[in-house]
Every structure is written in structure tokens, then in C-alpha cells.
Coordinates of all heavy atoms in Angstrom, one line a residue:
M132 N 0.8 -1.3 0.0 CA 0.0 0.1 -0.1 C 0.9 1.3 -0.1 O 2.0 1.3 0.6 CB -0.9 -0.1 1.3 CG -2.1 0.9 1.2 SD -2.9 1.0 2.8 CE -2.6 2.6 3.2
T133 N 0.4 2.3 -0.6 CA 1.2 3.5 -0.8 C 0.7 4.5 0.3 O -0.4 4.7 0.4 CB 1.0 4.2 -2.1 OG1 0.8 3.1 -3.0 CG2 2.2 4.9 -2.6
T134 N 1.7 5.1 1.0 CA 1.4 6.0 2.1 C 1.7 7.3 1.6 O 2.8 7.6 1.1 CB 2.1 5.7 3.3 OG1 2.0 4.2 3.7 CG2 1.7 6.4 4.5
P135 N 0.8 8.2 1.6 CA 1.1 9.6 1.2 C 2.1 10.3 2.2 O 2.2 9.9 3.4 CB -0.2 10.3 1.4 CG -1.2 9.5 2.0 CD -0.6 8.1 2.1
K136 N 2.8 11.2 1.7 CA 3.8 12.0 2.5 C 3.1 13.0 3.2 O 2.1 13.7 2.7 CB 4.8 12.6 1.5 CG 6.0 13.4 2.2 CD 6.8 14.0 1.2 CE 7.6 15.2 1.6 NZ 8.1 16.1 0.6
I137 N 3.5 13.3 4.5 CA 2.8 14.4 5.2 C 3.3 15.7 4.7 O 4.6 16.0 4.9 CB 3.0 14.3 6.7 CG1 2.4 13.0 7.3 CG2 2.5 15.3 7.5 CD1 2.8 12.6 8.7
A138 N 2.5 16.6 4.1 CA 3.0 17.7 3.7 C 3.3 18.7 4.8 O 4.4 19.5 5.0 CB 2.1 18.4 2.5
Q139 N 2.2 18.8 5.7 CA 2.5 19.5 6.9 C 1.3 19.0 7.9 O 0.2 18.7 7.4 CB 2.3 21.1 6.7 CG 1.0 21.6 6.3 CD 1.0 23.1 6.4 OE1 1.9 23.8 6.3 NE2 -0.2 23.7 6.5
K140 N 1.6 19.2 9.2 CA 0.6 18.7 10.2 C -0.4 19.7 10.6 O -0.6 20.2 11.7 CB 1.2 18.1 11.4 CG 1.9 16.8 11.1 CD 2.5 16.2 12.5 CE 3.2 14.9 12.2 NZ 4.0 14.4 13.3
A141 N -0.9 20.4 9.5 CA -1.9 21.4 9.7 C -2.6 21.6 8.3 O -2.1 21.3 7.3 CB -1.2 22.8 10.0
P142 N -3.8 22.2 8.4 CA -4.5 22.4 7.1 C -4.1 23.6 6.4 O -3.3 24.5 7.0 CB -6.0 22.6 7.5 CG -5.9 23.2 8.9 CD -4.6 22.6 9.5
Y143 N -4.4 23.8 5.1 CA -4.0 25.0 4.3 C -5.4 25.7 4.1 O -6.3 25.2 3.4 CB -3.6 24.5 2.9 CG -2.1 23.8 2.9 CD1 -2.1 22.5 3.0 CD2 -1.1 24.6 2.9 CE1 -0.8 21.8 3.1 CE2 0.3 24.0 2.9 CZ 0.3 22.5 3.0 OH 1.5 22.0 3.1
P144 N -5.5 26.9 4.6 CA -6.6 27.8 4.4 C -6.5 28.4 3.0 O -5.5 28.9 2.5 CB -6.6 28.8 5.5 CG -5.2 28.9 6.0 CD -4.4 27.6 5.5
V145 N -7.6 28.2 2.3 CA -7.7 28.8 1.0 C -9.1 29.4 0.6 O -10.0 28.8 0.9 CB -7.4 27.6 -0.2 CG1 -7.7 28.1 -1.7 CG2 -6.1 27.0 0.0
E146 N -9.1 30.6 0.0 CA -10.3 31.3 -0.4 C -10.7 30.7 -1.7 O -10.0 30.9 -2.7 CB -10.0 32.7 -0.5 CG -9.7 33.5 0.9 CD -11.0 33.8 1.6 OE1 -12.1 33.5 1.3 OE2 -10.7 34.1 2.9
V147 N -11.7 29.8 -1.8 CA -12.2 29.3 -3.0 C -13.3 30.0 -3.6 O -13.8 30.8 -2.9 CB -12.6 27.8 -2.8 CG1 -11.4 26.9 -2.3 CG2 -13.8 27.7 -1.9
E148 N -13.3 29.9 -5.0 CA -14.3 30.7 -5.7 C -15.5 29.8 -6.1 O -15.2 28.6 -6.7 CB -13.7 31.3 -7.0 CG -13.0 32.6 -6.8 CD -12.4 33.0 -8.0 OE1 -13.1 33.2 -9.1 OE2 -11.2 33.3 -8.1
A149 N -16.7 30.1 -6.1 CA -17.9 29.4 -6.4 C -17.7 28.9 -7.9 O -17.5 29.7 -8.8 CB -19.1 30.2 -6.3
G150 N -18.0 27.6 -8.1 CA -18.0 27.1 -9.4 C -16.6 26.7 -9.9 O -16.5 26.0 -11.0
K151 N -15.6 27.1 -9.2 CA -14.2 26.8 -9.6 C -13.7 25.5 -9.1 O -14.1 25.0 -8.0 CB -13.2 27.9 -9.2 CG -11.9 28.0 -10.0 CD -11.2 29.2 -9.5 CE -9.7 29.0 -10.0 NZ -8.8 30.0 -9.4
S152 N -13.0 24.7 -9.9 CA -12.5 23.3 -9.4 C -11.0 23.4 -9.0 O -10.2 24.1 -9.7 CB -12.7 22.3 -10.5 OG -14.1 22.1 -10.8
Y153 N -10.7 22.7 -8.1 CA -9.4 22.6 -7.5 C -8.9 21.2 -7.4 O -9.8 20.3 -7.2 CB -9.3 23.2 -6.2 CG -9.8 24.7 -6.2 CD1 -11.2 24.9 -6.1 CD2 -8.9 25.8 -6.2 CE1 -11.7 26.3 -6.1 CE2 -9.4 27.1 -6.0 CZ -10.8 27.3 -6.0 OH -11.1 28.7 -6.1
F154 N -7.6 20.9 -7.7 CA -7.1 19.5 -7.6 C -6.2 19.4 -6.4 O -5.1 20.0 -6.4 CB -6.4 19.1 -8.8 CG -7.4 18.9 -10.0 CD1 -7.8 20.1 -10.9 CD2 -8.1 17.7 -10.2 CE1 -8.8 19.8 -11.8 CE2 -9.1 17.4 -11.2 CZ -9.4 18.6 -12.0
W155 N -6.8 18.9 -5.2 CA -6.0 18.6 -4.1 C -4.9 17.5 -4.2 O -5.3 16.5 -4.7 CB -7.0 18.4 -3.0 CG -6.4 18.0 -1.7 CD1 -5.9 18.8 -0.9 CD2 -6.3 16.8 -1.1 NE1 -5.6 18.1 0.4 CE2 -5.8 16.8 0.2 CE3 -6.8 15.4 -1.5 CZ2 -5.6 15.7 1.1 CZ3 -6.6 14.3 -0.7 CH2 -5.9 14.5 0.6
C156 N -3.8 17.9 -3.8 CA -2.7 16.9 -3.8 C -2.9 15.8 -2.7 O -2.9 16.1 -1.4 CB -1.3 17.6 -3.5 SG 0.1 16.4 -3.1
A157 N -3.1 14.5 -3.2 CA -3.4 13.5 -2.2 C -2.1 12.7 -1.8 O -2.0 12.2 -0.8 CB -4.3 12.4 -2.8
C158 N -1.0 12.9 -2.6 CA 0.2 12.0 -2.3 C 1.3 12.8 -1.3 O 2.1 12.2 -0.9 CB 0.9 11.8 -3.6 SG 1.7 13.3 -4.5
G159 N 1.1 14.2 -1.3 CA 1.9 14.9 -0.3 C 3.3 15.4 -1.0 O 4.0 16.1 -0.4
H160 N 3.4 15.2 -2.2 CA 4.8 15.4 -2.8 C 4.8 16.7 -3.7 O 5.8 17.1 -4.1 CB 5.2 14.3 -3.7 CG 5.6 13.0 -3.0 ND1 6.7 12.8 -2.5 CD2 4.8 11.9 -2.7 CE1 6.8 11.6 -1.8 NE2 5.6 11.1 -1.9
S161 N 3.6 17.3 -3.8 CA 3.6 18.6 -4.7 C 4.3 19.7 -4.0 O 4.3 19.7 -2.7 CB 2.1 19.0 -4.8 OG 2.0 20.2 -5.4
A162 N 5.0 20.5 -4.7 CA 5.6 21.6 -4.3 C 4.7 22.9 -4.1 O 5.1 24.0 -3.8 CB 6.8 21.9 -5.1
N163 N 3.5 22.6 -4.6 CA 2.6 23.7 -4.7 C 1.4 23.3 -3.8 O 0.2 23.4 -4.2 CB 2.1 23.8 -6.1 CG 1.1 25.0 -6.4 OD1 1.1 26.1 -5.7 ND2 0.1 24.8 -7.2
Q164 N 1.7 22.9 -2.5 CA 0.5 22.6 -1.6 C -0.5 23.7 -1.4 O 0.0 24.8 -1.3 CB 1.2 22.1 -0.2 CG 2.0 20.9 -0.3 CD 1.3 19.6 -0.6 OE1 0.1 19.6 -0.3 NE2 1.8 18.7 -1.3
P165 N -1.7 23.3 -1.2 CA -2.2 22.0 -1.1 C -2.7 21.3 -2.5 O -3.4 20.2 -2.5 CB -3.5 22.2 -0.2 CG -4.1 23.5 -0.6 CD -2.7 24.3 -0.9
F166 N -2.2 22.0 -3.6 CA -2.7 21.5 -4.8 C -1.6 20.7 -5.6 O -0.5 20.6 -5.3 CB -3.0 22.7 -5.7 CG -4.1 23.7 -5.0 CD1 -3.7 25.0 -4.7 CD2 -5.3 23.1 -4.7 CE1 -4.7 25.6 -4.0 CE2 -6.2 23.9 -4.1 CZ -5.9 25.2 -3.7
C167 N -2.2 19.9 -6.5 CA -1.4 19.0 -7.3 C -0.5 19.7 -8.2 O -1.0 20.6 -9.0 CB -2.4 18.0 -8.1 SG -1.5 16.9 -9.3
D168 N 0.8 19.2 -8.4 CA 1.6 19.8 -9.4 C 2.1 18.7 -10.3 O 3.2 18.9 -11.1 CB 2.8 20.5 -8.7 CG 3.8 19.7 -8.1 OD1 3.5 18.5 -8.0 OD2 4.8 20.2 -7.7
G169 N 1.6 17.6 -10.4 CA 2.0 16.4 -11.1 C 3.0 15.5 -10.5 O 3.4 14.5 -11.1
S170 N 3.6 15.8 -9.3 CA 4.5 15.0 -8.6 C 4.1 13.6 -8.3 O 4.9 12.9 -8.0 CB 5.1 15.7 -7.4 OG 5.7 17.0 -7.7
H171 N 2.9 13.4 -8.4 CA 2.4 12.1 -8.0 C 2.7 11.0 -9.0 O 2.4 9.9 -8.7 CB 0.7 12.1 -7.8 CG 0.0 12.5 -8.9 ND1 -0.3 13.8 -9.3 CD2 -0.4 11.7 -10.0 CE1 -0.9 13.9 -10.4 NE2 -1.0 12.7 -10.9
K172 N 3.1 11.4 -10.1 CA 3.3 10.4 -11.2 C 3.9 9.1 -11.0 O 3.2 8.1 -11.5 CB 4.4 11.1 -12.2 CG 4.4 10.6 -13.6 CD 5.1 11.6 -14.6 CE 6.4 11.3 -15.0 NZ 6.8 10.1 -15.3
D173 N 4.8 8.8 -10.1 CA 5.2 7.6 -9.9 C 4.8 7.0 -8.5 O 5.4 6.0 -8.1 CB 6.8 7.5 -9.9 CG 7.2 7.9 -11.2 OD1 6.7 7.4 -12.3 OD2 8.2 8.6 -11.4
T174 N 3.8 7.6 -7.8 CA 3.4 7.2 -6.5 C 2.1 6.3 -6.5 O 1.9 5.7 -5.5 CB 2.9 8.5 -5.7 OG1 1.8 9.1 -6.2 CG2 4.2 9.4 -5.5
G175 N 1.5 6.2 -7.6 CA 0.3 5.3 -7.7 C -1.0 6.0 -7.1 O -2.0 5.5 -6.9
M176 N -0.7 7.3 -6.7 CA -1.8 8.2 -6.1 C -2.2 9.2 -7.2 O -1.5 9.5 -8.0 CB -1.4 8.8 -4.7 CG -1.1 7.8 -3.6 SD -0.5 8.5 -2.2 CE 1.2 8.3 -2.4
N177 N -3.5 9.7 -6.9 CA -4.0 10.6 -7.8 C -4.7 11.8 -7.0 O -5.1 11.5 -5.8 CB -5.0 10.1 -8.7 CG -4.5 9.2 -9.7 OD1 -3.7 9.5 -10.5 ND2 -4.8 7.8 -9.7
P178 N -4.7 13.0 -7.6 CA -5.2 14.1 -6.9 C -6.7 13.9 -6.8 O -7.5 13.2 -7.5 CB -4.9 15.4 -7.7 CG -4.8 14.7 -9.2 CD -4.2 13.4 -9.0
E179 N -7.4 14.7 -5.9 CA -8.8 14.7 -5.6 C -9.4 16.1 -6.2 O -9.0 17.0 -5.7 CB -9.1 14.5 -4.2 CG -10.6 14.3 -3.8 CD -10.8 12.9 -3.4 OE1 -10.0 12.0 -3.5 OE2 -12.0 12.8 -3.0
K180 N -10.4 16.0 -7.0 CA -11.1 17.2 -7.5 C -12.0 17.7 -6.5 O -12.8 16.9 -5.9 CB -11.8 16.8 -8.8 CG -12.4 18.1 -9.5 CD -13.0 17.7 -10.9 CE -13.6 18.9 -11.5 NZ -14.3 18.5 -12.7
Y181 N -11.9 19.0 -6.3 CA -12.8 19.7 -5.4 C -13.6 20.8 -6.2 O -12.8 21.7 -6.7 CB -12.1 20.3 -4.2 CG -13.0 21.1 -3.3 CD1 -13.8 20.5 -2.4 CD2 -12.9 22.5 -3.4 CE1 -14.5 21.4 -1.5 CE2 -13.7 23.3 -2.6 CZ -14.4 22.8 -1.7 OH -15.3 23.5 -0.8
T182 N -14.8 20.9 -6.2 CA -15.4 22.0 -6.9 C -16.2 22.9 -5.9 O -17.0 22.2 -5.0 CB -16.5 21.5 -7.9 OG1 -15.7 20.6 -8.9 CG2 -17.2 22.7 -8.7
A183 N -15.8 24.1 -5.7 CA -16.5 24.9 -4.8 C -17.9 25.3 -5.1 O -18.2 25.6 -6.1 CB -15.6 26.3 -4.6
E184 N -18.8 25.1 -4.2 CA -20.2 25.5 -4.3 C -20.4 26.9 -4.0 O -21.4 27.4 -4.6 CB -21.1 24.5 -3.4 CG -21.2 23.1 -4.0 CD -21.9 22.1 -3.0 OE1 -22.4 22.5 -2.0 OE2 -21.7 21.0 -3.3
E185 N -19.6 27.5 -3.2 CA -19.8 28.9 -2.9 C -18.5 29.5 -2.6 O -17.5 28.8 -2.4 CB -20.6 29.2 -1.7 CG -20.2 28.3 -0.4 CD -21.2 28.6 0.7 OE1 -21.6 29.6 1.0 OE2 -21.7 27.5 1.3
S186 N -18.3 30.7 -2.6 CA -17.1 31.4 -2.5 C -16.9 31.7 -1.0 O -17.6 32.2 -0.2 CB -16.9 32.8 -3.1 OG -17.1 32.7 -4.5
K187 N -15.8 31.0 -0.3 CA -15.6 31.0 1.0 C -14.2 30.5 1.3 O -13.5 29.9 0.4 CB -16.6 30.2 1.7 CG -16.6 28.8 1.4 CD -17.5 27.9 2.3 CE -17.5 26.4 2.0 NZ -18.3 25.6 2.9
K188 N -13.8 30.7 2.6 CA -12.5 30.1 3.0 C -12.7 28.6 3.4 O -13.6 28.3 4.2 CB -12.0 30.8 4.2 CG -10.6 30.2 4.5 CD -10.1 30.9 5.8 CE -9.4 32.3 5.6 NZ -9.0 32.9 6.8
V189 N -11.9 27.6 2.8 CA -11.9 26.1 3.2 C -10.6 25.8 3.7 O -9.7 26.5 3.4 CB -12.4 25.3 2.2 CG1 -13.9 25.7 1.7 CG2 -11.5 25.3 0.9
F190 N -10.5 24.8 4.4 CA -9.3 24.3 4.9 C -8.9 22.8 4.4 O -9.5 21.8 4.7 CB -9.4 24.1 6.4 CG -9.5 25.4 7.1 CD1 -10.8 26.0 7.3 CD2 -8.4 26.2 7.5 CE1 -10.9 27.4 7.8 CE2 -8.6 27.4 8.1 CZ -9.8 28.0 8.3
F191 N -8.0 22.9 3.4 CA -7.6 21.7 2.7 C -6.6 20.9 3.6 O -5.7 21.5 4.3 CB -6.8 22.0 1.4 CG -7.8 22.5 0.2 CD1 -8.0 23.8 -0.1 CD2 -8.6 21.4 -0.4 CE1 -8.9 24.2 -1.1 CE2 -9.5 21.8 -1.5 CZ -9.6 23.2 -1.8
C192 N -6.8 19.6 3.5 CA -5.9 18.8 4.4 C -4.4 18.9 4.0 O -4.2 18.8 2.8 CB -6.4 17.3 4.3 SG -5.3 16.1 5.1
G193 N -3.6 19.1 5.0 CA -2.1 19.2 4.8 C -1.3 17.8 5.2 O -0.3 17.5 4.6
C194 N -2.1 17.1 6.0 CA -1.3 15.8 6.5 C -1.6 14.7 5.5 O -1.0 13.7 5.6 CB -1.8 15.5 7.9 SG -3.4 14.9 8.2
K195 N -2.7 14.9 4.8 CA -3.0 13.8 3.9 C -3.8 12.5 4.5 O -3.9 11.5 3.8 CB -1.9 13.3 2.9 CG -1.1 14.5 2.3 CD -2.0 15.5 1.5 CE -1.1 16.6 1.0 NZ -1.9 17.6 0.4
A196 N -4.1 12.6 5.7 CA -4.7 11.5 6.4 C -6.1 11.7 6.9 O -6.7 11.0 7.6 CB -3.9 11.3 7.8
T197 N -6.6 12.8 6.3 CA -8.1 13.2 6.6 C -9.1 12.0 6.1 O -8.9 11.4 5.1 CB -8.5 14.5 5.9 OG1 -9.8 14.8 6.2 CG2 -8.4 14.5 4.4
G198 N -10.1 12.0 6.9 CA -11.2 11.0 6.4 C -12.2 11.8 5.5 O -13.3 11.1 5.2
K199 N -12.1 13.1 5.4 CA -13.1 13.9 4.6 C -12.2 14.6 3.4 O -12.5 15.8 3.3 CB -13.6 15.0 5.5 CG -14.7 14.5 6.5 CD -15.1 15.5 7.5 CE -15.6 16.8 6.8 NZ -15.8 17.9 7.9
R200 N -11.6 13.8 2.7 CA -10.8 14.4 1.5 C -11.6 15.3 0.7 O -12.7 14.8 0.3 CB -10.3 13.1 0.7 CG -9.2 12.4 1.4 CD -9.0 11.0 0.7 NE -8.7 11.2 -0.6 CZ -7.6 10.7 -1.2 NH1 -6.7 9.9 -0.4 NH2 -7.4 10.7 -2.5
P201 N -11.2 16.3 0.3 CA -9.8 16.9 0.4 C -9.8 17.8 1.7 O -8.8 18.5 1.8 CB -9.6 17.6 -0.9 CG -11.0 18.2 -1.2 CD -12.0 17.3 -0.7
L202 N -10.8 17.9 2.4 CA -10.7 18.9 3.5 C -10.3 18.3 4.8 O -10.4 17.2 5.1 CB -12.3 19.5 3.7 CG -12.8 20.2 2.3 CD1 -14.1 20.6 2.6 CD2 -11.8 21.2 1.8
C203 N -9.7 19.2 5.7 CA -9.3 18.9 7.1 C -10.4 18.4 7.9 O -11.5 18.9 7.9 CB -8.6 20.1 7.6 SG -8.1 19.8 9.3
D204 N -10.1 17.3 8.7 CA -11.2 16.7 9.6 C -10.4 16.7 11.0 O -11.0 16.1 11.9 CB -11.7 15.3 9.2 CG -10.7 14.3 9.3 OD1 -9.4 14.6 9.6 OD2 -11.1 13.1 9.2
G205 N -9.2 17.1 11.2 CA -8.6 17.3 12.4 C -7.7 16.1 12.7 O -7.1 16.0 13.7
S206 N -7.6 15.2 11.7 CA -6.8 14.1 11.8 C -5.2 14.3 12.1 O -4.5 13.5 12.7 CB -6.8 13.2 10.5 OG -8.0 12.6 10.3
H207 N -4.8 15.5 11.8 CA -3.4 15.9 11.9 C -2.9 15.9 13.3 O -1.8 15.7 13.8 CB -2.9 17.2 11.1 CG -3.9 18.3 11.7 ND1 -5.1 18.7 11.2 CD2 -3.7 19.2 12.8 CE1 -5.6 19.6 11.9 NE2 -4.8 20.0 12.8
A208 N -4.0 16.1 14.2 CA -3.7 16.2 15.7 C -3.3 14.9 16.3 O -2.6 14.8 17.3 CB -5.0 16.8 16.4
K209 N -3.7 13.7 15.5 CA -3.4 12.4 16.0 C -2.0 11.9 15.3 O -1.8 10.6 15.7 CB -4.6 11.4 15.7 CG -5.8 11.8 16.5 CD -7.0 11.1 16.2 CE -8.3 11.8 15.9 NZ -8.8 11.5 14.5
L210 N -1.4 12.6 14.5 CA -0.1 12.0 13.9 C 1.0 12.2 14.9 O 1.2 13.1 15.6 CB 0.0 12.6 12.6 CG -1.1 12.4 11.6 CD1 -0.9 13.2 10.3 CD2 -1.2 10.9 11.2
Ligands
FES1513 S1 1.3 16.0 -6.7 FE1 0.2 15.0 -5.1 S2 -1.6 14.4 -6.0 FE2 -0.5 15.2 -7.6

């Protein structure tokens, strides 16, 4: 099984725009956290698409262990 790299043990706050799609990095290797930059290529993992329903601040998972991908669910506190 492939384990994602912990990018940081905290979420990434991002102001998202209604109707816009974002590709959250699931592998933890992107240099453009919390978004995918293609670095997952040889990891067997893929980014998760997130489409904003409204314009607001959301917290994308930084530890990659969330149970509510791609958003933070507090799992980083247990790592
Ligand atoms: S770089 Fe991590 S999922 Fe694409």
C-alpha cells in the first residue's frame, strides 16, 4: 500500500471561488501545496477534484490523512 507523504501537520486555508474546481494533492509530494503539481506521477496516487459550491474560505488537508478528503477533519492532531 502506498502511504502519502505528510506535507504539513496542519490544514491549508484557501479562499475558493464558487464554481471553480481545484485539484488537491493526495500524495503529499507537490511543491505547490495543497494543490497537485503532477509530482504524484510515480506514486500510484492521484489528486482529488474539489468543486467549490460557494465562495468562502476552506481548509484543505495538509497531512493527507483526513477522512473527509480533500478537507481537514482534524486527523493531523493524532499524527
Ligand atoms: S502531486 Fe500529489 S496528487 Fe498530484
Side-chain angles (χ1 to χ4, degrees):
M132 197 187 115
T133 330
T134 310
K136 181 182 158 195
I137 297 171
Q139 69 172 20
K140 288 184 181 175
Y143 291 92
V145 176
E146 295 282 350
V147 296
E148 276 177 56
K151 202 173 158 190
S152 292
Y153 301 82
F154 289 87
W155 173 74
C156 168
C158 74
H160 292 275
S161 172
N163 183 35
Q164 292 295 331
F166 304 117
C167 174
D168 72 351
S170 299
H171 60 268
K172 197 158 104 40
D173 298 317
T174 66
M176 291 178 268
N177 289 301
E179 183 108 358
K180 186 178 178 186
Y181 172 82
T182 303
E184 283 170 14
E185 51 181 317
S186 296
K187 61 174 181 178
K188 183 188 280 185
V189 299
F190 294 86
F191 285 102
C192 170
C194 74
K195 314 303 179 185
T197 181
K199 284 173 49 185
R200 292 159 60 121
L202 303 178
C203 175
D204 73 349
S206 292
H207 60 271
K209 292 177 232 123
L210 297 174

